[in-house]
Amino acid sequence: MNTLYARDEAAIAGIEKLRFFPLEVVSGHGCTLVTPDGRELLDLSATWTASGLGHGHPAVVEAVSRAVRSAPGSGGLSAVHPDSVGLAEDLLDLVPGSGERRVYLGHAGSDANDVALRACRHATGRRTVLAFEHSYHGGVGVAMGVSGVHVDAGVAPDPDAVFLPYPNPFRPASGDVAADVAACLKLADHHLATGAIACLIVEPILSDGGLVVPPDGFLAELHALCRRHAVPMICDEVKMGLGRPGTLHAFEHDGVVPDIVTFGKVLGGGLPLSAAVGPAGLLDKPAASALLTTAGNPICTAAGRAVLATITGEQLPERAAKVGAVLQDALRAVDAEQVGDVRGRGLAIGLELVDPATGEPDSRLAAQVSYRAWELGAVVYYVGGNVLEITPPLVLSEDEAHRAAEIIGAAIADAAAGKVDAEEVARYAGW
């Protein structure tokens, strides 16, 4: 049968595929995806958080429709237009900071992080980047080379990258998370003191590395070290920011104000859009060193302005905190010995699957649960090998949260009972 999925296999390059099951979609609305045969799926990924307002949000539809009808050109490279300037001004208003600041506009979190990293290297004259094991900052350039997930997968690290251990309260390396934090900070201090560090880049919640929520205060202590050594901190909010953790910015949890903040995914409302906000002294020079012809285009920036206005106007951070608590409680009530941990903030939730006999990570089970959940009516992927990453649209309702937990619970039970075809699941490599 010449299915949509079969046509994809014959036409689309494999290097850009991360597949967990044969997901075919033709439309979406709210937190629902619709397949070619009309089946409705509860979206618990939001396209890896990029569709953070859900599918077909009226504010984004209206903004994009307006922009398409009268778009003045296709980018901000050599001209200015109201929505590119307006989006930058909106971000400067929403992101805390002091002094003269600038906004870089791009297409994806990958290029925003890459530009921020290169800007720090140029401004400081130093090369070394401090990053974290199992982190993800992008799939291109320097950002890819300092992404622990890519390095784990065999990509050559940036030659000037140094990777620090990210504290994991559920699986402390030393057996004591406080000791892990102390060791990480000591190592960071050692490298920062050398005077060779261009910047430190960190995710306030380690997303693709396993949805790891660090201990309270960790980011603040890390930030204090960077300030002490006059090294810029880049906070990567691409996946976990803009309302998802129950606050507008994920870094707010520890009360810090990073030097540079990067955004992507939800910012574009499903369209390619990213941004980096930071000091003019870091982001202004050298001129014309980060050129993307269609960056800052009228259509994507119009969508971005609508997304920001909706997140703040509809109080979506507060909603994420409330509905996220309901969803976490419902997931913790799932009666399955394979659930090792449920963690998160707001609607950034990780459910860790383990071998109940040993407590060790069970990546095979995670792949089968993800597949079975799709069969039962929900889209959820896994990260870090064995952690279901539950990041639904910020407009998720409490009823949908309860349904999500029911589907995930049933999927775990079915997978544990051997009701999932392991050979079929193996066709989809996932990570």
Side-chain angles (χ1 to χ4, degrees), residues 105-128:
L105 297 176
H107 291 319
S110 294
D111 66 68
N113 282 326
D114 184 69
V115 165
L117 291 160
R118 290 192 289 112
C120 288
R121 281 179 167 175
H122 177 267
T124 64
R126 308 172 195 140
R127 296 287 305 170
T128 305

Side-chain angles (χ1 to χ4, degrees), residues 65 88 98 114-115 122-123 157 159 238 273 291 431:
S65 299
S98 59
D114 184 69
V115 165
H122 177 267
V238 170
L273 180 64
L291 301 182
W431 289 100

Side-chain angles (χ1 to χ4, degrees), residues 49 57 83 99 110-111 150 191 238 258 284 307 314 334 356 400 427:
T49 76
H57 193 286
D83 279 324
S110 294
D111 66 68
H150 280 304
H191 287 292
V238 170
D284 263 351
V307 166
E314 296 186 3
V334 169
E400 288 170 325
R427 293 180 56 198

Side-chain angles (χ1 to χ4, degrees), residues 56-387:
H57 193 286
V60 176
V61 171
E62 193 282 327
V64 170
S65 299
R66 169 186 60 78
V68 168
R69 283 194 298 268
S70 58
S74 61
L77 185 66
S78 300
V80 299
H81 62 85
D83 279 324
S84 64
V85 176
L87 176 59
E89 292 170 337
D90 294 344
L91 285 165
L92 289 172
D93 286 340
L94 290 175
V95 179
S98 59
E100 194 174 1
R101 294 183 296 154
R102 298 285 187 267
V103 178
Y104 160 85
L105 297 176
H107 291 319
S110 294
D111 66 68
N113 282 326
D114 184 69
V115 165
L117 291 160
R118 290 192 289 112
C120 288
R121 281 179 167 175
H122 177 267
T124 64
R126 308 172 195 140
R127 296 287 305 170
T128 305
V129 173
L130 281 185
F132 284 85
E133 296 170 359
H134 316 308
S135 60
Y136 185 87
H137 301 294
V140 297
V142 181
M144 187 176 194
V146 303
S147 292
V149 166
H150 280 304
V151 174
D152 293 342
V155 171
D158 184 281
D160 296 301
V162 173
F163 293 93
L164 303 171
Y166 199 97
N168 184 339
F170 183 65
R171 295 189 180 280
S174 68
D176 176 21
V177 69
D180 284 1
V181 169
C184 174
L185 294 173
K186 182 178 180 180
L187 185 59
D189 191 34
H190 165 75
H191 287 292
L192 290 166
T194 64
I197 308 301
C199 60
L200 178 146
I201 186 166
V202 62
E203 296 170 272
I205 297 174
L206 194 72
S207 55
D208 293 328
L211 214 297
V212 178
V213 180
D216 289 349
F218 172 67
L219 199 66
E221 293 184 86
L222 197 63
H223 184 245
L225 286 177
C226 289
R227 283 291 171 91
R228 185 184 310 158
H229 295 285
V231 170
M233 172 191 273
I234 302 170
C235 194
D236 180 346
E237 297 259 325
V238 170
K239 198 171 180 183
M240 294 289 108
L242 292 180
R244 180 157 300 282
T247 52
L248 182 59
H249 306 298
F251 59 77
E252 288 181 50
H253 185 84
D254 271 12
V256 304
V257 178
D259 297 279
I260 298 179
V261 184
T262 56
F263 300 101
K265 299 197 186 291
V266 64
L267 180 62
L271 294 177
L273 180 64
S274 66
V277 181
L282 292 175
L283 295 179
D284 263 351
K285 296 179 180 179
S289 62
L291 301 182
L292 297 172
T293 303
T294 54
N297 69 79
I299 295 158
C300 291
T301 53
R305 298 197 73 186
V307 166
L308 293 179
T310 301
I311 288 173
T312 55
E314 296 186 3
Q315 299 180 312
L316 293 186
E318 292 83 354
R319 177 169 176 163
K322 180 182 178 183
V323 179
V326 170
L327 180 50
Q328 287 194 50
D329 286 345
L331 290 169
R332 291 191 179 100
V334 169
D335 184 17
E337 58 182 354
Q338 292 80 14
V339 177
D341 189 33
V342 176
R343 54 181 176 260
R345 292 178 188 152
L347 285 172
I349 302 169
L351 186 152
E352 181 152 353
L353 292 165
V354 301
D355 180 335
T358 64
E360 291 300 305
D362 195 336
S363 56
R364 178 196 58 81
L365 180 64
Q368 293 185 5
V369 170
S370 177
Y371 190 97
R372 183 57 175 155
W374 165 71
E375 291 183 315
L376 294 175
V379 172
V380 62
Y381 306 123
Y382 60 88
V383 293
N386 69 313
V387 181

